[in-house]
């Protein structure tokens, strides 16, 4: 016998289901009047420092269908690479956004400022990135991934460096489509499957 | 607690399997390649925080929050309460807990819900609250009805309340569902069956809590939630070589 470790086990996840919007962004779902506005409408407030950017994309299921019912959350650092709550962080960057695939087209849009490089755990800088969390009906545990940018130097990023099949790195890189505009598509399964994270 | 310490790795065996053919939608929405595992970084160890100014006085009372207190929803009045803890057993204070659910007839206020059970004009179906300094939260609501859903030929969801919990780190983010003690539909539910560990299934089933029920008013159900913890060490965040 040994001493017990006395650790609790994390509560199991369950799918957000088809009505996740009612709970998280009720006004978007047509349930008006309970809250003044939906939570996380924008990750930035007026005066946020840095380059304004728009990331547009879709989330495709294993058949190539752009999902209409996905909800996403993003979390990011400010233009100086500081996360909200850290000393010196831009007070106009909340860093958190909730958004959803469009009910008709399946496309999502995130308007924010481009984050700066972020200090990694043991020193090395991580290339600018936005963390994404995706939930939907049929997704039993939320999927984590990251959005990097094709006009940044990603060569020394410690997370990207761990991807063995180098062609899969590309699934985490948003592509420039215009000034401050990027495209980032997520593929849940099959050809071009996005790298999902466990960290 | 050290807010910069690494998160404990997620114990994937404690969670549902992503691919479960009896839950048909999961077949095309589950990644087929392994996840990329790595120690957490500041991007996962930090997360959004919400203050009391966000929360309205009726936000955690689904019986009346849709009508602003004017008229109560139809249904069996219940109180759902519990604590949010992390894997080390520490309470998670001041963290946002959001819930959503069907009405007493098993119908959601949603354009895509076409079940013919009627909408309740006095029920919206969502609520939110912040945990207190000891991690406690509570909601007043009505017991949601079970409902049929298009999956296999005749599948019904057990009575359930959806939960969304933030914790203090983006890597702790969790969505789950609370079920009710004694519901015979639990063991017939293919979504519940995505959790392969029986003891983990039971952790989603809230017991009737008579001691916290109120006579002539409501029944109580207790639902505790555990989020990922942080590694405990004195050696965190020291310069290399120290
Ligand atoms: Fe549901």
């Amino acid at each position: 016998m040994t001493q017990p470790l006395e650790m609790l086990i994390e509560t199991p996840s369950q799918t957000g289901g088809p009505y996740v919007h009612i709970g998280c962004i009720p006004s978007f779902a047509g349930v008006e009047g309970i809250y003044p506005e939906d939570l996380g409408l924008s990750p930035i407030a007026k005066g946020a420092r840095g380059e304004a950017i728009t990331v547009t994309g879709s989330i495709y299921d294993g058949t190539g269908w752009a999902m209409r019912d996905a909800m996403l959350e993003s979390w990011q650092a400010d233009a100086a690479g500081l996360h909200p709550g850290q000393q010196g962080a831009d007070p106009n960057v909340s860093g958190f956004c909730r958004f959803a695939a469009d009910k008709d087209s399946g496309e999502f849009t995130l308007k924010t400022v481009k984050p700066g490089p972020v200090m990694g755990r043991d020193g090395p800088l991580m290339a600018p990135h936005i963390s994404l969390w995706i939930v939907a009906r049929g997704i039993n545990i939320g999927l984590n991934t990251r959005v990097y940018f094709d006009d940044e130097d990603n060569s020394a990023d410690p997370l990207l460096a761990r991807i063995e099949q180098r062609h899969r790195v590309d699934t985490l890189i948003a592509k420039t489509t215009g000034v401050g505009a990027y495209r980032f598509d997520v593929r849940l399964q099959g050809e071009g499957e996005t790298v999902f994270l466990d960290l | 607690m050290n807010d910069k310490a690494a998160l404990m790795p997620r114990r994937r065996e404690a969670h549902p399997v992503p691919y479960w053919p009896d839950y048909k939608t999961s077949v095309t929405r589950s990644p087929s390649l392994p996840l990329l595992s790595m120690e957490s970084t500041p991007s996962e160890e930090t997360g959004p925080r919400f203050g009391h100014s966000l929360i309205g006085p009726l936000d955690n009372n689904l019986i009346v929050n849709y009508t602003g207190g004017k008229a109560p929803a139809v249904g069996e009045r219940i109180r759902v309460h519990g604590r949010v803890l992390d894997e080390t057993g520490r309470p998670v204070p001041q963290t946002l807990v959001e819930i959503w659910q069907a009405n007493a007839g098993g119908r959601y206020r949603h354009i895509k819900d076409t079940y013919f059970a009627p909408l309740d004009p006095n029920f919206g179906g969502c609520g939110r609250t912040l945990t207190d300094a000891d991690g406690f939260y509570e909601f007043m609501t009505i017991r949601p009805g079970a409902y049929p859903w298009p999956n296999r030929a005749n599948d019904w969801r057990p009575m359930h309340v959806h939960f969304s919990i933030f914790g203090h780190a983006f890597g702790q983010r969790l969505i789950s569902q609370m079920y009710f003690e004694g519901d015979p539909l639990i063991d017939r539910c293919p979504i519940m069956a995505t959790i392969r560990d029986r003891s983990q299934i039971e952790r989603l089933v809230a017991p009737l809590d008579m001691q916290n029920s109120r006579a002539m008013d409501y029944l109580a159900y207790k639902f505790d939630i555990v989020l990922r913890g942080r590694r405990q060490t004195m050696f965190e965040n020291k310069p290399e070589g120290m």
Side-chain angles (χ1 to χ4, degrees), chain A residues 15-20, chain B residues 100-102 108 145 147 157-162 177 191:
Chain A
T15 179
Y19 310 121
V20 62
Chain B
W100 66 102
Q101 63 169 83
Y108 284 92
Y147 58 85
R157 293 304 326 279
M159 301 175 287
H160 62 278
V161 178
H162 296 266
Q177 300 182 31
I191 288 179

Side-chain angles (χ1 to χ4, degrees), chain A residues 8-14 35 62 73 75 98 121 129 137-138 140 146 188-189 193 196 198-199, chain B residues 4 10 15 17 23 27-30 32-33 36 39 43-45 87 98 173 176 179 203 226:
Chain A
L8 303 178
I9 300 174
E10 191 185 8
T11 297
S13 168
Q14 290 270 267
Y35 313 139
E73 290 181 357
W75 173 245
R98 259 181 181 165
R121 162 146 294 283
H129 65 275
R137 176 174 62 102
N140 292 328
R146 286 185 179 181
L188 296 189
Q189 196 185 81
E193 182 173 313
F196 295 105
D198 176 33
L199 72 181
Chain B
K4 293 195 175 104
R10 197 156 233 166
H15 286 283
V17 291
Y23 179 22
V27 170
T28 56
R29 294 184 170 193
S30 43
S32 53
L33 296 171
L36 178 69
E39 185 172 55
S43 298
E44 296 75 39
E45 293 151 13
E87 288 171 283
E98 300 161 301
R173 195 76 181 82
S176 193
Y179 301 86
R203 298 203 33 228
V226 177

